[in-house]
Amino acid sequence: MRTFIGGHQVVSDTDFIELALGTPVELWLGVEGESEMERAARLDAARDILADNPNLPDDVSRVAAEAIEAFAPELFNVVPLPASKAARRRPGRNGVAA
């Protein structure tokens, strides 16, 4: 089965991330062995993108949180609590559920 987002075929996890960000991942993370000049140019481009899209960090955080919420059970082998038990849990010390 093939996955398409906005007419683009997604073939890897990186494709999903790039489509969510609207930019290549390497722009934000850099690449191994980049020169100081390449790094400076990459950071300048990133600053320009953030200036044009001030909500981008919030959007990325939202997408990451949604992905974690959606896939945490599979990633961390978590068994969700039944709704009745989850509703009874109260935050304990430091806001952590007891």
Side-chain angles (χ1 to χ4, degrees), residues 13-88:
D13 295 341
T14 302
D15 289 344
F16 275 111
I17 294 168
E18 287 183 3
L19 288 168
L21 292 174
T23 62
V25 174
E26 294 81 13
L27 175 68
W28 307 103
L29 302 179
V31 293
E32 191 172 330
E34 73 182 354
S35 70
E36 285 300 315
M37 186 179 291
E38 291 168 327
R39 182 175 188 274
R42 177 177 58 78
L43 293 176
D44 283 343
R47 277 190 285 277
D48 289 345
I49 289 170
L50 289 173
D52 291 341
N53 301 289
N55 293 330
L56 184 62
D58 292 336
D59 293 342
V60 170
S61 297
R62 180 184 45 77
V63 168
E66 289 172 358
I68 290 168
E69 182 178 9
F71 297 104
E74 293 88 12
L75 293 172
F76 304 108
N77 207 12
V78 174
V79 178
L81 288 174
S84 60
K85 287 185 180 180
R88 289 192 307 236

